[in-house]
Structures are given as structure tokens and as C-alpha cells.
């Protein structure tokens, strides 16, 4: 309120006084009020992170259901559970879902929630674009799934090779849904990548140099760079296929002279970096979990960071190892064989560094730690079968068999998903204020561990025996019967373990409050309350160390052992559970902190995109409506000030006069995140002085 | 934080004294890198765009050099009107100059001139687009439709994507012009013009690459 009245409005170039208008738009600005509606309009990175996680877990259940149907079909030879057409749809949607709608958004959720907390920021760089990313992802996923009810889901596998994906061989709308749905989720990934990279580079707290960022932040940053450059490549491929299918272009029409390898190259130039997009943030998660539960700093932090960057670079030079069987020529095969072997080196560095961290650590095997160690061991198995694929003759034998299926499930499920569950158990108390039950969690872990290995371990064997993937049945007498039955039993164990996790989540609400720092953590997110306040930190931290929070809590004695300091200060007001043992609360006035206001525009723009896509398939009127929503939404977003001048600051008391002025409404992104910039002189320098004293 | 050091030469600060002196909402370069979030974001986006055009150009080059037996319709390479396209390329190149002049004017708080140059840039861009429309229609008249053959699909897709990028640039320039007219683009916010300029120059550079690879170098 006071904001706009006390300060003179920005003078106009013409010299006359500017009138402070209400933000242009058909909506009244949403208010901060609690309740379900606040989730639709929120721009808070923490809420958006939770929504990413919840949505991804729902898709995980769907993708898992598809997997169970596949396994039910394959439990016995000559399976009759599914029609082959449906089988094709199910394995296509299973792969697409798990890659694009589960692991990617899950890791995006972690990145969203944790990066600002870990680097000491109040929010991401563009909070409204952040909300936009989430809604686009959600609607893109729903659009893709709506294909089941509109004539059948896509059925050409998750890499959808041409010319199989052309109209001639797949005349239904399934592939169209795939093409358009992935374009929509691609927008979400691209916007998210720009947002998170800018956040990592630009929003760090004072003293948070790049080499003081937690490894999770680093790995997420590398993954976002990979996304930034990989998404446009698949966008090109998707556009070309879309023009083929909808408008009769000839890019993949072999009769017109097209080269089907064009699709394979474009897809895998995206697809291989994508593999690292899926695994690197999971590596980051366990790189933060293992030190905490070993009570040691991460062994070889710089090696960890630089090996991650090396993987990011080398990930661009190995794509054709997915195409050894497609006749790319001996020189290409030799070159990509070599580069594929080399990329195992930085990955091996990581494995050894985790082992080095565990070595002589004071280990406590919490569920998070179990899942982290599960990642290290299972990813190693998957990595080893990956190196086997780099040997081209070997790969030619294994290609399109269950050996490949075993390999990528060991890296993506045994690696990424185990990393994700490690992160879920580790950060749950931070996000929701109470722990998940360790006892039930251990049941969950061991069931999932056993089920996972039972499902995918035997696939190595039947794969080497030649069992082809993506085939709806197999005959008797091939010697595959027992193994397939075991695999099916294993997959149902995984499903059971997932239900145990769901039970754990539901039950956890009764668990006692965990406090701000339940694991005696090392990084900044543990220095604020659980769950953190909207503005993340009452006091903006000034960082002096890697593992800053640990150094604030612990000193070293002469022999280098950690000794807990008598007093240390949290960065926010915390509950009593967290105090004691020397912990203190900061005494600061947080009223001067202003965060961006919620907005309707992100969801409006995002809703326009699937409308445009439906329109392309059915009637252009829908496209026109969607187009109007997108354009109108962009204009609305641009004209709306990121902080609502009309918003009541009741809960903030007074305004310090450094808040955003009316000039903010000139352009949209220009004034994003006034919260941090706003406190300018007064609060920020005050904080800095305060923490300087402490140091 | 010293906003002015980043956005404008020091002597300009005095000129801006008639504006609100300590406007906290002006783009405060309060960031770890010193680059504003918006500018850094635009650079990243443009990096991503490089790969988009890289993919499209690759697809075109692959299919242009493909000798297909019994290809339907004319080859795209036989239809180019190089003098015409050279002129429209020159027009687009000049629009980068006017874009710079506009930025320089707004940094000097010379808003009349800034608006003139903004509008000129948009008009030059529109001229280029008009040339492209003319080119496409003349190609179609000579029997090269979008679906005629491999080359035509690749050619129209590549140049069409570029045309859409120029069009979006024109829309942004017009928006800036309107904002400036309504006084919402003071010198402190010259960075907005700079960021749109980054995009505009990028689209220009892409055209130089396309013009060289697609039109000038024979298949």
C-alpha cells in the first residue's frame, strides 16, 4: 500500500507525472491467501518444486502401471494379456513417461526447491516463468496422456524411429500426440533451464563462489546447460516430423529420397545428453547425502565438480553409439566407440570419490543413505554394461535385446530413481517439517532393492541369449520362461515397495516435527527453518566456506576433529526442536522483504499451448483460441509488475521505502524478483555486517 | 548499487538528474555476475537458438546435396533470385545498424531519436519479411510448393523459421516503440532495448549464415 503512495512515481520522459495504474489485465491480481487456489497462482519456488514432485510421482505411478501390464504380458510365453497393438502403446508410453514426465520433472522439482536454498537466494531468477514452466509441463503431460482416450497412444517406441513414425506406418493420431506433447514439455524444460542457470550464476549469496556451491547445485547446473542445448535439437526433429505428418512435408518419407538416419542423428544428439540430464542431478543428490551420513566432507569436491562438467561436455560426443547397428560407417563407429569408452572415466572418478567419502566415515545407514549407496552400486553395474556397449561388435550383438533394457534400467532406475528416493527421504523433513518413517522406509528400500534386481538382473541373461525387446510375445522352449517369470515377480515387488512408500508418506503427517536440521546437515538449506519461510532466510547468509552450515556449527581441534561450537546462529526463526546445543535464532526484522506476487498469467499461457495442439489435430478454431490465450497471456505477464503495487503488506508491517517503485511495471521480466534487489542498502548490508561479526 | 555504471556512460548520469535519482526499481545489477538476470537469460536463450538453427540448417544441407532419381518439381537452387535476395539481406543487415543507433539514442535519453530508429528497424525488418513473402509466392508460382520435394520442404522450413523469428523481433520492436511513446521506457531502462537488440542482431547473424550456405554456395 504505502509503497505506491509514499514514493513519487517514476517521472515520464515527457516531463509529466505518470499515473500509477492498476496492472492491466482481465484478472484482479491474486492475493497471497492460503488454500488450494494459492497453488494455481503461486510463484514461490518451494511450492512449485513440491508441485513438480507430486505431479512426477503421479506419472511415476502411471508409468509403473504400464510396466506392470507389460510384465504381466511377458510373464509366460505366448502371453495373451495384451493385444500387440496395445503392447506397443504401453512400452512407448512407459518409456516416454519415465523419461519426460517422471525423472526430468522430479529432478526439476528438486532443483527448483533446493537451488535457491542452497545458494542462499530468496527465489529463482524469474519466479513467474518458473510457474509457467511447471504448468506447461503438467499440461503437456496431460495432453500426451489424453491420446489414450482419443484414438490410441503413440506406439513407435520412445525414440520413435523414422520412417516407422510416418503417417504411412502409423496412421492414427498417437504419434501426433507424442510430437506435440513433447514440444510442449520441451518449452517447459527450456524455460526452466534458462531460469535455473541464471539463478545459479546470478543469485548466489555474498561469498557463495562457484566452487562453494553444493555438488547438487553444480550437477543440476550442468544438467540445465545440457537441456538448454539439447532441447532445441529434439525440437527441430519434432517439428520436422510434425510437418511430415500434418502438412505433407518429405523429411522422413523414404520414397521421396529422405534419409531416415536424419531422425536418428537429431534424436540421439538430443538423446544422449538427455541421459546425463537424467543422471547428473541424481549424482548431485547422493553427493550431498553421502557426506552428511558419513560425517565427512565430500572426498575430492573439485574432482566431483569437474568430472560432472567433463561428462557434460563429453556427453555431446557419444550419440552415435546408439546407432552402431544402423550403418553409420566404420570411421564413425570407431570414433564413437572411443569417445564412449572415455566418458566412463569421469563417471568412474565420481564412483571412486563416493567410495572415498564413505571410507573411514562415521556411517549411519538411514534410508536416504541406503538409497544413495544403492545408486552407487547399481549405477556401477549399469555403467559396466554401458562400457560393454561401447565395443561396437559387442553392441551389434546386444542391440535391441533385453541386455540393453537391463543396462538402461540399471542406470535410470537403479541410478536416477534410487537417487531421487534418496533425496526424497533426505529432504522430506526440510520440505514438510517431519521425517518419513525410517522403519517403513527401510522396508521400502529393501523391497525396492530386491524387486529392482530381480526384475532387471535376469534381463542381462535373456538379453545375451537373444530375447528381443519391444516384441509382444516370445515362444516356448527358448529357455527364457523362468527368467521372465522372475522378472515379472520382481516388477510386482517394485510396485509393492512403491505402495509402502505411499503408505509412509500418508502416515508421516503424524510424525513429530523434525526441526530445522535433523541430519546435522552441511549445506545452507539446513540453516533455515523446516519448512522454510516464504522468503527462505530471515538473514541473507554471507558464505565463507564450502559446506558453510557445517563450518558455522563445528570448529576443528588440533587433530582436525570436528568440535561443535558453543554458539551458532540459524538463518531464520526456528522452532524449539531445533534450538538447544548452541543453536540460536537471528533477531531481525523481516518486514522489508518483498517477494514477487502470485500471478494468473503463467497458468493461462500454459493452458493455451495444449489448446493450440488439439487445434492442429482437430479444428483450427481451437488453435486460434489457444493462440489468443498465449499472446494475451504474454502481454498480460509483460505489463503486470512482478510485485503487485496494490498488494497489502499487512504481514510485513511497514515498508522501508526501498521496495519496487511503479517503474517496475514497464516490462515484465525486467523487474523479476524485486525481493532480493529490493532490500538494497538497508537490509542486505545490515545482514552482511551481522554475519561479518559472527565470522 | 551503481546502476548507472552498467547501463550508461558516466556523463549521462548528470543528464538523468531530472529523473528519479535513486530509483530502486531500475534494473539493479545486484547479481553475482554483474550481468542482469534478463540479459544473461537472453544470452542463454540465444545459445539455445543456435542449436535450433544448427539442426534446421543441417537438415537443409543434407537434403540439398541429395541427388534423388526422378525428383518431382524444380530444384530450389534453380529458382534463387540472388540479386533480389542480396538486396533484402542488405536491408536486414542495415536494420542492425539502426538498432544500435536506437540503443545509443535511448542511452543518451534522446527519446525522439530512439523512437525513430526503433521504428526504422521494425520497418526494415518488415521490408525483409515482405521480400520473403514475395520470394515464397514466386517460388510457388514456378511449381515449388512446400510438399513438392525434399529440398522444398527443407528450404521453406528453414527460411520460414527464420522469418518467424524476424516477425517476433518486429513485434518486440513495435512494443518497445509503444512503450516509449507512453513514457515507459526511460533511459534507466535502456537495457530492455539492449536485450531486444541482442535478439535482433542474432536473427541477423543467422540470416548471414543462411544466405551464405543456402543461397550463395552452390549445391
Amino acid at each position: 500500500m504505502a509503497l505506491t503512495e509514499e514514493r513519487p512515481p517514476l517521472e515520464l520522459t515527457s516531463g509529466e507525472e505518470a499515473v500509477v495504474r492498476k496492472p492491466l489485465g482481465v484478472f484482479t491480481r491474486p492475493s497471497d491467501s492460503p488454500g488450494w487456489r494459492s497453488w494455481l497462482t503461486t510463484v514461490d519456488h518451494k511450492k512449485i518444486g513440491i508441485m513438480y514432485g507430486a505431479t512426477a510421482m503421479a506419472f511415476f505411478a502411471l508409468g509403473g502401471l504400464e510396466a506392470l501390464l507389460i510384465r504381466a504380458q511377458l510373464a509366460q510365453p505366448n502371453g495373451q494379456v495384451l493385444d500387440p497393438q496395445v503392447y506397443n502403446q504401453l512400452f512407448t508410453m512407459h518409456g516416454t513417461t519415465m523419461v519426460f514426465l517422471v525423472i526430468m520433472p522430479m529432478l526439476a522439482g528438486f532443483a527448483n526447491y533446493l537451488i535457491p536454498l542452497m545458494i542462499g537466494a530468496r527465489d529463482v531468477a524469474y519466479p513467474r516463468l518458473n510457474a509457467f514452466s511447471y504448468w506447461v509441463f503438467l499440461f503437456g503431460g496431460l495432453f500426451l496422456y489424453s491420446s489414450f482416450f482419443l484414438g490410441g497412444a503413440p506406439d513407435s517406441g520412445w525414440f520413435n524411429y523414422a520412417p516407422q513414425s510416418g503417417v504411412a506406418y502409423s496412421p492414427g493420431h498417437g504419434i501426433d500426440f507424442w510430437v506435440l506433447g513433447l514440444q510442449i514439455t520441451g518449452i517447459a524444460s527450456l524455460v526452466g533451464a534458462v531460469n535455473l542457470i541464471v539463478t545459479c550464476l546470478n543469485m548466489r549469496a555474498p561469498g557463495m563462489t562457484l566452487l562453494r556451491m553444493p555438488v547438487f547445485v553444480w550437477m543440476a547446473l550442468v544438467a540445465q546447460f545440457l537441456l538448454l542445448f539439447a532441447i532445441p535439437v529434439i525440437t527441430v526433429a519434432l517439428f520436422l516430423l510434425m510437418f511430415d505428418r500434418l502438412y505433407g512435408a518429405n523429411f522422413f518419407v523414404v520414397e521421396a529420397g529422405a534419409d531416415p538416419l536424419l531422425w536418428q542423428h537429431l534424436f540421439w544428439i538430443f538423446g544422449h545428453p538427455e541421459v546425463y540430464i537424467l543422471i547428473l542431478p541424481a549424482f548431485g543428490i547422493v553427493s550431498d547425502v553421502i557426506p552428511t551420513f558419513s560425517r565427512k566432507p565430500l572426498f575430492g569436491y573439485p574432482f566431483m565438480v569437474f568430472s560432472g562438467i567433463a561428462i557434460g561436455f563429453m556427453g555431446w560426443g557419444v550419440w552415435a553409439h546408439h546407432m552402431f547397428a544402423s550403418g553409420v560407417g566404420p570411421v564413425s563407429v570407431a570414433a564413437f566407440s572411443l569417445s564412449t569408452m572415455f566418458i566412463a572415466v569421469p563417471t568412474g572418478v565420481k564412483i571412486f570419490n563416493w567410495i572415498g567419502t564413505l571410507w573411514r566415515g562415521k556411517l549411519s545407514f538411514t534410508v536416504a543413505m541406503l538409497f544413495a549407496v544403492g545408486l552407487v552400486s547399481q549405477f556401477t553395474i549399469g555403467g559396466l554394461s554401458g562400457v560393454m556397449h561401447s565395443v561396437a561388435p559387442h553392441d551389434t550383438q546386444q542391440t535391441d535385446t533385453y541386455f540393453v533394457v537391463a543396462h538402461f534400467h540399471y542406470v535410470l532406475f537403479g541410478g536416477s530413481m534410487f537417487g531421487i528416493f534418496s533425496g526424497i527421504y533426505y529432504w522430506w523433513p526440510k520440505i514438510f517439517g517431519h521425517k518419513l518413517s525410517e522403519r517403513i522406509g527401510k522396508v521400502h528400500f529393501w523391497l525396492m532393492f530386491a524387486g529392482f534386481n530381480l526384475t532387471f538382473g535376469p534381463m542381462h541373461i535373456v538379453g545375451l541369449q537373444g530375447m528381443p525387446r519391444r516384441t509382444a510375445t516370445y515362444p516356448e522352449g527358448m529357455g527364457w520362461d523362468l527368467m521372465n517369470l522372475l522378472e515379472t515377480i520382481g516388477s510386482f515387488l517394485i510396485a509393492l515397495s512403491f505402495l509402502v512408500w505411499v503408505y509412509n508418506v500418508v502416515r508421516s503427517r503424524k510424525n513429530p516435527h523434525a526441526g530445522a536440521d535433523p541430519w546435522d546437515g552441511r549445506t545452507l538449506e539446513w540453516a533455515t527453518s523446516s519448512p522454510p519461510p516464504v522468503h527462505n532466510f530471515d538473514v541473507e547468509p554471507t558464505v565463507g566456506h564450502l559446506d558453510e552450515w557445517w563450518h558455522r556449527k563445528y570448529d576443528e581441534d588440533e587433530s582436525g576433529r570436528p568440535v561443535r561450537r558453543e554458539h551458532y546462529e540459524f538463518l531464520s526463526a526456528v522452532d524449539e526442536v531445533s534450538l538447544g546445543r548452541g543453536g540460536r535464532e537471528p533477531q531481525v526484522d523481516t518486514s522489508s522483504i518483498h517477494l514477487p506476487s502470485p500471478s494468473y498469467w503463467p497458468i493461462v499461457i500454459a493452458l493455451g499451448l495444449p489448446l493450440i495442439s488439439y487445434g492442429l489435430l482437430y479444428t483450427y478454431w481451437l488453435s486460434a483460441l489457444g493462440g489468443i490465450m498465449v499472446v494475451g497471456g504474454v502481454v498480460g505477464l509483460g505489463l503486470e509488475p512482478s510485485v503487485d503495487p496494490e498488494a497489502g503488506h499487512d504481514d510485513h508491517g511497514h515498508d522501508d521505502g526501498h521496495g519496487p517503485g511503479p517503474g517496475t511495471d514497464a516490462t515484465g521480466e525486467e523487474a523479476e524478483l524485486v525481493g532480493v534487489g529490493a532490500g538494497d542498502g538497508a537490509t542486505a548490508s545490515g545482514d552482511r555486517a551481522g554475519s561479518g561479526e559472527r565470522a | 548499487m551503481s546502476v548507472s555504471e552498467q547501463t550508461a556512460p558516466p556523463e549521462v548520469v548528470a543528464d538523468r538528474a531530472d529523473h528519479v535519482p535513486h530509483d530502486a526499481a531500475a534494473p539493479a545489477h545486484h547479481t553475482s555476475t554483474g550481468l542482469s538476470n534478463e540479459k544473461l537469460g537472453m544470452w542463454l536463450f540465444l545459445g539455445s537458438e543456435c542449436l535450433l538453427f544448427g539442426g534446421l540448417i543441417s537438415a537443409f544441407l543434407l537434403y540439398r546435396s541429395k541427388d534423388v532419381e526422378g525428383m518431382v518439381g524444380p530444384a530450389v537452387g534453380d529458382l534463387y533470385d540472388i540479386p533480389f535476395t542480396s538486396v533484402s539481406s542488405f536491408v536486414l543487415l542495415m536494420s542492425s545498424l539502426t538498432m544500435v543507433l536506437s540503443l545509443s539514442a535511448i542511452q543518451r535519453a534522446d527519446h525522439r531519436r530512439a523512437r525513430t530508429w526503433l521504428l526504422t528497424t521494425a520497418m526494415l525488418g518488415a521490408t525483409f519479411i515482405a521480400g520473403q513473402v514475395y520470394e515464397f509466392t514466386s517460388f510457388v508460382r514456378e511449381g515449388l510448393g512446400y510438399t513438392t520435394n525434399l529440398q522444398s520442404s527443407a528450404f521453406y522450413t528453414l527460411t520460414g523459421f527464420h522469418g518467424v523469428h524476424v516477425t517476433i523481433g518486429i513485434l518486440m520492436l513495435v512494443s518497445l516503440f509503444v512503450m516509449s511513446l507512453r513514457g515507459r521506457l526511460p533511459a534507466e531502462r535502456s537495457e530492455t532495448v539492449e536485450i531486444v537488440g541482442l535478439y535482433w542482431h542474432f536473427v541477423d547473424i543467422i540470416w548471414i549464415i543462411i544466405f551464405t550456405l543456402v543461397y550463395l554456395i552452390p549445391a
Side-chain angles (χ1 to χ4, degrees):
Chain A
M1 295 291 181
L3 192 65
T4 49
E5 287 151 18
E6 285 175 6
R7 289 158 40 76
L10 188 70
E11 207 165 313
L12 291 183
T13 50
S14 49
E16 59 191 291
E17 286 262 300
V19 187
V20 179
R21 265 163 304 196
K22 276 190 178 179
L24 185 83
V26 289
F27 302 122
T28 323
R29 196 73 186 253
S31 65
D32 271 322
S33 61
W36 65 271
R37 282 176 64 184
S38 72
W39 291 83
L40 297 183
T41 56
T42 184
V43 295
D44 177 5
H45 73 98
K46 296 180 289 299
K47 279 186 168 177
I48 292 168
I50 292 170
M51 290 198 288
Y52 262 116
T55 314
M57 272 302 167
F59 279 122
F60 185 59
L62 281 176
L65 210 59
E66 286 151 7
L68 290 183
L69 286 169
I70 292 170
R71 282 319 314 172
Q73 162 80 358
L74 295 174
Q76 289 180 321
N78 302 312
Q80 297 292 324
V81 180
L82 300 171
D83 183 73
Q85 304 295 326
V86 179
Y87 183 84
N88 289 350
Q89 295 178 17
L90 286 179
F91 74 67
T92 301
M93 284 303 283
H94 169 73
T96 308
T97 305
M98 292 304 190
V99 169
F100 293 98
L101 305 180
V102 178
I103 301 184
M104 279 171 78
M106 201 69 220
L107 296 171
F110 276 117
N112 245 303
Y113 198 99
L114 293 171
I115 286 177
L117 286 168
M118 284 180 156
I119 61 174
R122 298 231 189 274
D123 206 322
V124 292
Y126 313 106
R128 289 180 302 167
L129 285 185
N130 200 24
F132 171 70
S133 290
Y134 167 74
W135 293 112
V136 172
F137 147 67
L138 174 67
F139 295 141
L142 293 178
F143 173 81
L144 189 57
Y145 262 84
S146 70
S147 63
F148 273 112
F149 309 103
L150 294 168
D155 55 0
S156 288
W158 89 278
F159 46 70
N160 208 34
Y161 275 172
Q164 157 96 355
S165 54
V167 182
Y169 304 100
S170 189
H173 270 320
I175 306 275
D176 298 328
F177 276 101
W178 188 85
V179 165
L180 292 164
L182 291 192
Q183 277 175 352
I184 296 176
T185 57
I187 294 172
S189 299
L190 186 63
V191 173
V194 171
N195 194 354
L196 290 175
I197 293 172
V198 175
T199 306
C200 287
L201 295 182
N202 255 0
M203 312 282 291
R204 285 168 283 135
M208 177 59 83
T209 56
L210 287 174
L211 282 177
R212 285 178 190 159
M213 297 199 305
V215 180
F216 173 75
V217 179
W218 260 110
M219 293 304 108
L221 176 62
V222 174
Q224 300 309 317
F225 267 109
L226 290 176
L227 270 175
L228 184 76
F229 295 122
I231 290 292
V233 182
I234 195 179
T235 305
V236 170
L238 294 170
F239 264 116
L240 300 188
L241 182 58
M242 177 180 117
F243 293 151
D244 264 19
R245 292 186 57 92
L246 297 183
Y247 308 120
N250 300 303
F251 291 103
F252 306 114
V253 182
V254 178
E255 304 86 79
D259 187 351
L261 279 190
L262 175 63
W263 173 270
Q264 297 197 18
H265 279 295
L266 288 175
F267 187 87
W268 289 117
I269 289 174
F270 153 79
H272 204 83
E274 170 75 9
V275 172
Y276 298 109
I277 292 163
L278 298 175
I279 193 66
L280 281 178
F283 282 176
I285 290 173
V286 299
S287 302
D288 282 339
V289 169
I290 291 181
T292 302
F293 295 114
S294 305
R295 296 188 69 79
K296 274 175 68 184
L298 184 68
F299 182 81
Y301 168 87
F303 284 92
M304 228 37 174
V305 170
F306 285 108
S307 64
I309 297 172
I311 291 173
F313 273 104
M314 294 167 79
W316 291 95
V318 296
W319 80 87
H321 69 210
H322 296 270
M323 302 162 58
F324 281 161
S326 63
V328 286
V331 178
S332 299
V333 169
F336 282 99
S337 274
L338 280 175
S339 60
T340 306
M341 290 177 198
F342 279 131
I343 203 167
V345 175
T347 319
V349 166
K350 287 190 173 297
I351 305 275
F352 280 114
N353 278 350
W354 289 321
I355 296 173
T357 311
L358 290 165
W359 183 254
R360 295 197 158 180
K362 210 171 147 200
L363 305 184
S364 49
F365 280 98
T366 58
V367 181
M369 180 68 155
L370 286 172
F371 273 106
V373 175
L375 177 148
V376 176
S377 51
Q378 289 168 161
F379 183 86
T380 306
I381 297 173
L384 288 174
S385 59
V387 177
M388 288 165 78
H389 288 136
S390 70
V391 184
H394 208 282
D395 180 85
T396 326
Q397 281 295 308
Q398 295 152 359
T399 196
D400 263 330
T401 71
Y402 268 85
F403 191 84
V404 179
V405 179
H407 158 68
F408 65 69
H409 279 95
Y410 264 87
V411 290
L412 289 186
F413 193 154
S416 297
M417 274 319 284
F418 272 65
I420 285 168
F421 274 114
S422 174
I424 287 176
Y425 278 92
Y426 183 56
W427 282 298
W428 195 273
K430 176 53 59 189
I431 298 170
F432 297 104
H434 44 72
K435 288 184 186 177
L436 288 171
S437 154
E438 285 287 305
R439 201 167 42 81
I440 305 172
K442 280 183 179 150
V443 175
H444 168 204
F445 169 76
W446 287 112
L447 268 178
M448 189 168 261
F449 182 79
F452 167 78
N453 284 290
L454 191 60
T455 308
F456 298 106
M459 285 188 189
H460 289 109
I461 300 166
V462 291
L464 286 178
Q465 289 170 344
M467 182 173 171
R469 67 192 279 212
R470 300 183 162 173
T471 309
T473 57
Y474 55 96
E476 294 161 76
M478 302 294 286
W480 302 335
D481 302 9
L482 175 67
M483 291 300 176
N484 272 287
L485 185 63
L486 289 178
E487 288 163 18
T488 302
I489 295 171
S491 67
F492 279 86
L493 278 183
I494 298 175
L496 182 64
S497 74
F498 181 74
L499 292 179
V500 171
W501 176 76
V502 173
Y503 172 69
N504 200 352
V505 167
V506 173
R507 227 191 122 268
S508 69
R509 280 183 300 178
K510 291 183 201 146
N511 291 352
H513 195 276
D517 188 15
W519 312 115
D520 205 4
R522 311 181 69 85
T523 39
L524 282 178
E525 76 272 24
W526 303 108
T528 186
S529 60
S530 302
V534 188
H535 50 267
N536 289 354
F537 302 104
D538 292 353
V539 184
E540 188 188 35
T542 300
V543 179
H545 299 276
L546 175 67
D547 289 340
E548 171 72 12
W549 179 231
W550 179 268
H551 284 277
R552 291 190 182 203
K553 288 185 295 184
Y554 289 92
D555 205 352
E556 280 183 3
D557 65 13
E558 298 83 37
S559 57
R561 288 175 189 288
V563 183
R564 204 165 175 103
R565 293 180 199 275
E566 271 182 45
H567 297 297
Y568 59 91
E569 194 174 78
F570 282 95
L571 293 173
S572 301
V574 293
D575 51 285
E576 294 101 49
V577 187
S578 322
L579 298 174
R581 296 193 65 197
R584 287 179 177 173
E585 288 180 305
Q587 300 300 326
V588 286
D589 177 18
T590 58
S591 59
S592 63
I593 302 167
H594 295 296
L595 291 168
S597 308
S599 169
Y600 284 115
W601 294 117
I603 194 171
V604 171
I605 307 173
L607 205 52
L609 294 172
L611 280 184
I612 294 177
S613 304
Y614 281 121
L616 292 178
L617 299 182
Y618 299 108
T619 160
Y620 288 123
W621 289 111
L622 268 179
S623 291
L625 179 65
I628 291 169
M629 284 171 74
V630 171
V631 174
V634 170
V635 173
L637 193 72
L639 294 179
E640 174 186 79
S642 115
V643 176
D644 184 3
E646 300 289 311
H649 296 297
D650 307 343
D651 48 342
H652 292 311
H654 71 287
D655 179 66
D656 67 347
H658 281 269
T664 1
D665 60 356
T667 54
E669 299 322 324
E670 197 73 9
E672 291 283 25
L673 196 59
V674 193
V676 169
D680 269 33
T683 48
S685 55
D687 294 350
R688 237 161 277 163
S691 36
E693 279 163 33
R694 192 166 50 244
Chain B
M1 293 281 115
S2 48
V3 176
S4 47
E5 284 170 18
Q6 298 286 341
T7 50
E11 69 270 17
V12 176
V13 179
D15 295 349
R16 286 206 271 104
D18 54 334
H19 294 289
V20 177
H22 36 257
D23 176 35
H29 295 276
H30 206 73
T31 64
S32 315
T33 58
L35 274 176
S36 77
N37 289 349
E38 292 71 31
K39 203 193 270 183
L40 185 59
M42 180 52 91
W43 276 113
L44 292 169
F45 172 70
L46 294 181
S48 177
E49 290 270 279
C50 288
L51 274 282
L52 183 88
F53 281 104
L56 290 168
I57 290 172
S58 307
F60 177 80
L61 292 181
L62 175 72
Y63 285 154
R64 178 182 68 172
S65 57
K66 246 186 151 32
D67 226 355
V68 182
E69 294 257 338
M71 190 178 76
V72 191
V76 66
D78 298 337
L79 301 180
Y80 293 145
D81 184 352
I82 299 293
F84 175 82
T85 316
S86 302
V87 171
S88 69
S89 305
F90 181 74
V91 167
L92 192 63
L93 273 185
M94 284 305 104
S95 73
S96 266
L97 177 66
T98 54
M99 187 75 231
V100 173
L101 290 173
S102 161
L103 175 63
S104 148
I106 200 158
Q107 282 174 345
R108 282 179 282 110
D110 185 350
H111 291 280
R112 267 182 70 89
R113 202 156 285 164
R115 281 197 288 273
T116 312
W117 289 125
L118 274 178
L119 205 59
T120 315
T121 313
M123 294 303 287
L124 288 172
T127 310
F128 173 84
I129 291 294
Q132 198 170 39
V133 170
Y134 169 76
E135 185 194 35
F136 282 12
T137 44
S138 71
F139 281 14
V140 170
R141 221 172 288 132
E142 300 200 40
L144 191 77
Y146 182 62
T147 60
T148 307
N149 55 39
L150 267 184
Q151 296 182 354
S152 71
S153 296
F155 171 80
Y156 287 119
T157 305
L158 170 59
T159 49
F161 258 91
H162 180 265
V164 168
H165 276 78
V166 176
T167 310
I168 291 173
I170 295 171
L171 290 177
M172 294 200 287
L173 289 168
V174 172
S175 311
L176 287 184
F177 177 77
V178 173
M179 276 165 59
S180 176
L181 268 187
R182 299 176 69 184
R184 290 176 158 219
L185 208 60
E188 293 83 17
R189 320 203 119 254
S190 66
E191 202 193 56
T192 315
V193 179
E194 197 181 343
I195 290 169
V196 172
L198 284 178
Y199 175 86
W200 190 258
H201 299 316
F202 170 81
V203 173
D204 246 20
I205 291 168
I206 291 292
W207 181 255
I208 295 173
I209 296 170
I210 292 177
F211 184 57
T212 312
L213 289 178
V214 173
Y215 289 83
L216 294 184
I217 298 178

